[in-house]
Amino acid sequence: MTTCPHCHIAIGRDSEYCPLCQNGLSGPAEAPWWPHLTAPVHRFAMLYKIVAFLLLAGTVVAAAVDFLLIETPHRHGSLLLLVWVLAALLVLRGVLRRRYNGPRQVFLLLLLVSGLLIFTDWFNGYTGYSVDLVIPILCSVTLVCNFIFAFWRSRFTRNALVYLLLNIGVGVLPYLLLASRIGDGEVSTHSIPWVVCLIISVITFLGLLIFQGRELRSELEKRLHM
């Protein structure tokens, strides 16, 4: 513990000057009372900045060529490129933040990619490939991934409702789409991917109820205070 040679008082902690006379202290300094905290180092922050810089720089170059060098009327593809780049950076940021929640990440990624595909399809003169083919495939993959997560995670009980509700949420889309097409008499080969998605939705839903029904029931009783 340090002491002040003028005031003859003992000063704790690691002070260098007396709080009364502001003269230097003598004696060995005491260990600090509080641990020294340093901000966590984000190892991937620089990687994200480099990737963001390269992608945005490439987008600027593409926009310059698109708007300044091409004089003939055309669709400005650089705008579509900008949307995809921003979406890719958003996904990369979420991955590097290391907040792993399997079903939530898969569900949000499904919404993001589906929106981008519909926008891309509309931007290029809507042909319907996004809604009729690609999105039902993505929904089917999401249903299977949620089903796998339900058995892969050992702590399923706490997240049972999450898996089940996400499974139902993704499966609602083919129900609504097929109902509207059946009502209009438009069911055709374009609806086959959605029919497959509907089958996968029902099968995975039944699988979760059969194999994880007890855990789901206990979770419902806990959440609803039954």
Side-chain angles (χ1 to χ4, degrees):
M1 181 175 292
T2 57
T3 57
C4 177
H6 299 278
C7 301
H8 305 288
I9 60 174
I11 309 298
R13 295 183 296 178
D14 54 350
S15 303
E16 297 181 359
Y17 300 96
C18 177
L20 300 179
C21 63
Q22 297 301 316
N23 285 311
L25 303 176
S26 60
E30 193 179 54
W33 292 356
W34 311 105
H36 180 67
L37 300 178
T38 57
V41 178
H42 299 285
R43 296 179 298 173
F44 299 105
M46 183 56 65
L47 173 62
Y48 177 79
K49 292 179 180 179
I50 293 174
V51 173
F53 173 76
L54 293 177
L55 291 178
L56 292 176
T59 304
V60 170
V61 173
V65 174
D66 188 13
F67 284 93
L68 301 179
L69 299 182
I70 301 178
E71 298 180 355
T72 58
H74 64 284
R75 290 190 179 93
H76 296 290
S78 58
L79 297 177
L80 181 62
L81 177 63
L82 176 62
V83 173
W84 278 93
V85 166
L86 294 178
L89 292 178
L90 181 64
V91 173
L92 180 62
R93 180 179 177 85
V95 172
L96 295 182
R97 291 177 69 180
R98 303 185 67 178
R99 294 182 177 179
Y100 299 125
N101 185 343
R104 181 174 178 270
Q105 295 291 349
V106 172
F107 185 72
L108 293 179
L109 186 61
L110 170 67
L111 295 179
L112 178 62
V113 175
S114 298
L116 289 174
L117 289 172
I118 295 176
F119 176 77
T120 303
D121 195 4
W122 168 82
F123 187 87
N124 293 323
Y126 191 75
T127 60
Y129 74 89
S130 58
V131 176
D132 291 331
L133 180 62
V134 182
I135 294 180
I137 294 176
L138 293 178
C139 288
S140 300
V141 173
T142 302
L143 292 171
V144 174
C145 288
N146 284 340
F147 187 77
I148 294 175
F149 276 125
F151 295 93
W152 177 57
R153 290 181 62 92
S154 58
R155 302 179 64 181
F156 173 80
T157 304
R158 191 177 67 177
N159 298 315
L161 289 179
V162 176
Y163 295 106
L164 188 60
L165 292 178
L166 288 180
N167 189 59
I168 295 174
V170 176
V172 163
L173 190 57
Y175 287 100
L176 298 177
L177 187 62
L178 286 176
S180 63
R181 292 192 174 185
I182 291 174
D184 297 335
E186 298 179 355
V187 177
S188 61
T189 55
H190 297 289
S191 303
I192 292 178
W194 284 112
V195 173
V196 174
C197 182
L198 176 61
I199 295 173
I200 295 177
S201 173
V202 174
I203 292 176
T204 53
F205 177 76
L206 292 176
L208 290 177
L209 287 181
I210 293 173
F211 294 104
Q212 301 290 350
R214 181 176 299 176
E215 289 80 359
L216 178 62
R217 179 179 177 181
S218 62
E219 183 70 9
L220 283 172
E221 291 176 351
K222 182 178 67 175
R223 295 290 181 91
L224 301 178
H225 304 285
M226 297 174 60

